[in-house]
Amino acid sequence: MNLLKIGIICYPTYGGSGVVATELGKALAKKGHHVHFITYQEPVRLDSFHQNIFYHEVSSLDYPLFHYTPYESALASKIVDVVKFEKLDLLHVHYAIPHASSALMAKQILAEQNIHIPFITTLHGTDITLVGRDPSYLPVVAYSINHSDGITSVSSFLKEDTYRHFSINKHIEVIHNFIDFSRFKKTNKEHFKKAIATHGERVLIHISNFRKVKRVEDVVQMFKSVIKKIPSKLLLVGDGPERTNVEMLCRQLCINEHVRFLGRQDAIEDLLAISDLFVLPSETESFGLAALEAMACEVPVISSDAGGLPEIQIQGITGYMSPVGDIESMATNAISILENEDTLKQFKANAYKQALNFKIENILPKYENYYELVLRTATPEYSI
Ligand code: GMT
């Protein structure tokens, strides 16, 4: 495998696509590739210096005429600059909107200067299942995907959903998300657990960006049923538009003394280390990286059966999946895991074993091989 100079374009935020993009970049840098992040802020997970990682901030001139700052144009211009002066071999954009169209624009600008740069678009989820299919974005999203030199998706579900809703005439390579076990592994935080569950209660946890698609209110409703049978605490981690509604619901259900809102947390592995069950009842979930991270920390998962979750969950082994909105069966399944110590231990062990299948050592070569394939196809003069 040649060492490459790769531009990674992503959202720098807590969301799953930004996390995947950053962790992928860090792993590529460890292998000797030069990785250039191009985004409007330093990525959240880019938490340490690495000699092979570079960061280029996209800044855009604001002007009173603009109702919206044209980030797409500023991003395309920055990509042109970085490709040209850092002599990048390849661009890898994560989340199609607006990254794929910015990369396409930059590619066309550079081609006129006889600089040919292929770009790969990785589809992550709501860029296809929710936002991307809105008429305000669909034509541009479909066009920029079709004019990508390579396309990957984080699950088979998302690949099929893309073909179902967009007229895509190209192959989509499925490369699942991954776990870096040097970061995600079970650690002993018993002292911390005692601070949260002072009487040895079970700990349930939900981590998300509290958007409607996550159905966080279903987490609270199922917890209300669980707590009737099993002394438990609920940790709600993250923040977003639905947080206030969820806080109000906890008060209405008179369970707020058993629920802790922890807001956005960087060290989620410490919270997972004290948890007994991860709950993710999403309306749609192209993969469910948060669920896989929980499993890597030996936490079984109660989830909906939406989207790509059946590609990581094994029913009755790593946890249970229920139809979206089926709060009763989620509660019943949670109780069946939590009520017996040996059962809980078995599910924890199963969850960890399944997570190992997604360790980054298994997934990184798939991206590297795909880079080679795209480079050979898009730039015939490229040689290994
Ligand atoms: O989970 C979120 O809502 C954030 C979203 C994103 O686009 O950053 O996550 C998506 O990408 C993650 C990483 O590939 C996937 O694990 C999530 O399942 C996916 N979210 C949805 O499909 C709702």
Side-chain angles (χ1 to χ4, degrees):
M1 172 83 208
N2 289 345
L3 291 180
L4 301 172
K5 290 183 179 179
I6 305 159
I8 290 185
I9 292 103
C10 64
Y11 283 107
T13 48
Y14 282 84
S17 59
V19 166
V20 171
T22 309
E23 295 296 345
L24 174 62
K26 287 157 69 173
L28 288 164
K30 264 187 213 156
K31 287 197 73 177
H33 300 287
H34 281 202
V35 178
H36 293 257
F37 285 99
I38 308 171
T39 180
Y40 60 83
Q41 230 170 40
E42 192 110 26
V44 165
R45 285 275 183 96
L46 196 54
D47 45 14
S48 59
F49 168 78
H50 194 288
Q51 62 176 15
N52 293 336
I53 290 179
F54 309 87
Y55 168 63
H56 306 271
E57 186 154 315
V58 179
S59 55
S60 39
L61 173 73
D62 209 352
Y63 187 62
L65 179 65
F66 298 153
H67 185 65
Y68 305 102
T69 307
Y71 179 69
E72 188 167 345
S73 301
L75 176 59
S77 302
K78 192 66 179 177
I79 293 171
V80 168
D81 176 68
V82 175
V83 169
K84 210 164 164 179
F85 295 100
E86 300 293 348
K87 297 183 175 43
L88 299 191
D89 299 303
L90 177 77
L91 291 171
H92 188 177
V93 308
H94 290 262
Y95 201 87
I97 306 166
H99 302 136
S101 43
S102 290
L104 179 57
M105 198 189 304
K107 176 187 167 87
Q108 289 164 347
I109 294 167
L110 287 159
E112 290 195 351
Q113 301 170 29
N114 209 22
I115 299 171
H116 300 288
I117 182 92
F119 77 96
I120 291 167
T121 297
T122 290
L123 306 173
H124 278 273
T126 51
D127 45 353
I128 294 298
T129 61
L130 218 61
V131 184
R133 66 181 68 165
D134 184 279
S136 56
Y137 297 111
L138 193 141
V140 172
V141 170
Y143 184 83
S144 51
I145 292 172
N146 269 324
H147 287 76
S148 302
D149 297 286
I151 313 163
T152 79
S153 69
V154 296
S155 64
S156 301
F157 157 79
L158 191 60
K159 171 178 179 176
E160 296 318 315
D161 207 47
T162 305
Y163 285 133
R164 237 190 323 273
H165 292 96
F166 295 79
S167 46
I168 301 300
N169 50 37
K170 284 191 168 177
H171 169 73
I172 298 176
E173 184 80 3
V174 177
I175 303 181
H176 285 121
N177 288 332
F178 49 84
I179 290 287
D180 178 352
F181 278 87
S182 66
R183 168 173 181 152
F184 278 94
K185 53 182 175 291
K186 175 98 177 165
T187 51
N188 185 326
K189 300 280 180 189
E190 277 316 304
H191 60 289
F192 177 26
K193 184 156 191 172
K194 285 195 176 65
I196 296 281
T198 47
H199 302 294
E201 299 92 334
R202 298 295 194 201
V203 177
L204 288 77
I205 188 169
H206 169 81
I207 303 172
S208 79
N209 49 32
F210 282 63
R211 292 181 197 146
K212 217 154 186 57
V213 70
K214 300 297 182 178
R215 296 179 68 95
V216 189
E217 294 182 3
D218 286 4
V219 178
V220 171
Q221 292 286 5
M222 68 82 79
F223 179 68
K224 167 82 175 171
S225 302
V226 170
I227 204 167
K228 288 176 186 158
K229 296 276 181 66
I230 311 266
S232 306
K233 294 291 181 188
L234 173 62
L235 303 181
L236 293 174
V237 182
D239 208 328
E242 292 301 304
R243 175 172 173 165
T244 308
N245 295 339
V246 176
E247 284 175 336
M248 300 303 287
L249 179 61
C250 288
R251 291 182 196 145
Q252 285 160 18
L253 298 176
C254 304
I255 57 170
N256 39 307
E257 63 177 298
H258 303 292
V259 183
R260 297 286 292 266
F261 286 82
L262 297 178
R264 287 194 179 90
Q265 296 284 331
D266 288 331
I268 53 172
E269 59 275 22
D270 291 348
L271 297 166
L272 291 167
I274 66 164
S275 299
D276 298 302
L277 208 55
F278 184 87
V279 187
L280 189 66
S282 307
E283 186 83 27
T284 176
E285 196 71 65
S286 68
F287 180 83
L289 180 63
L292 184 62
E293 290 176 339
M295 291 161 73
C297 294
E298 301 179 30
V299 184
V301 176
I302 291 290
S303 73
S304 65
D305 57 6
L309 286 163
E311 296 176 50
I312 53 176
Q313 276 264 56
I314 305 171
Q315 187 75 336
I317 303 289
T318 59
Y320 290 97
M321 292 173 282
S322 304
V324 173
D326 190 345
I327 295 162
E328 194 181 330
S329 86
M330 289 178 188
T332 306
N333 290 333
I335 291 164
S336 75
I337 293 176
L338 296 172
E339 64 187 354
N340 177 288
E341 195 59 37
D342 290 340
T343 304
L344 176 56
K345 278 202 178 101
Q346 187 58 59
F347 271 85
K348 286 182 175 233
N350 296 344
Y352 177 72
K353 190 170 169 231
Q354 168 67 350
L356 285 172
N357 292 318
F358 297 86
K359 64 183 179 185
I360 194 161
E361 291 77 7
N362 294 351
I363 306 292
L364 184 65
K366 293 181 180 180
Y367 274 114
E368 289 184 294
N369 293 335
Y370 192 63
Y371 290 167
E372 287 284 353
L373 174 67
V374 168
L375 282 164
R376 278 202 308 276
T377 316
T379 44
E381 68 278 10
Y382 177 78
S383 61
I384 299 178

